[in-house]
Amino acid sequence: MDIEMASSLLDNCVKYINKYRETRYADASNSSKEIAESLGINLIIKEARVRRKKTFFDKNNDQDFLIGAEERFKREFFYTIVNTVRESIKERFTQFENHKQLWGFLYNLEKLPSSEHLLARCKDLHEALSEGDSDV
């Protein structure tokens, strides 16, 4: 697989995860209910006790906003897991993109850039490899 194809696939993966986060909670919830039923597990989401803090009169009291157990599960569990996956892939995608910018011109020798552009890319690579305490 070439580096351009891998980059495109990773980009599509990030887009899919973003779309999944926005639109697929209901599908994930239904499939988890089916799995729980097939295993004989009662699927009950318990309502959390509402904790209230004392506030002074001049502060806005936003704690009166109550959300249901299903919505709390969606916000605190589903979104957290999907966000963690998305950020992990983005971090690795960033590392991959950095690698592609430095070394990408060498992966497809049939499509080498013009001699001036090639010289500039080689200088960038030389500069990146000579920074810091590199042993290369």
Side-chain angles (χ1 to χ4, degrees), residues 42-55:
N42 293 332
L43 185 62
I44 300 171
I45 300 176
K46 294 182 180 179
E47 199 63 49
R49 184 178 73 85
V50 178
R51 297 182 183 123
R52 298 185 187 262
K53 289 184 178 180
K54 277 190 166 183
T55 58

Side-chain angles (χ1 to χ4, degrees), residues 13-14 17-18 20-21 74-93:
C13 183
V14 170
I17 290 171
N18 287 334
Y20 187 86
R21 181 187 188 279
K74 182 178 178 180
R75 288 182 186 178
E76 294 180 3
F77 184 74
F78 180 76
Y79 285 161
T80 303
I81 288 177
V82 174
N83 289 344
T84 302
V85 169
R86 181 178 58 186
E87 292 305 314
S88 176
I89 289 176
K90 279 185 178 180
E91 179 183 329
R92 292 172 191 212
F93 184 63

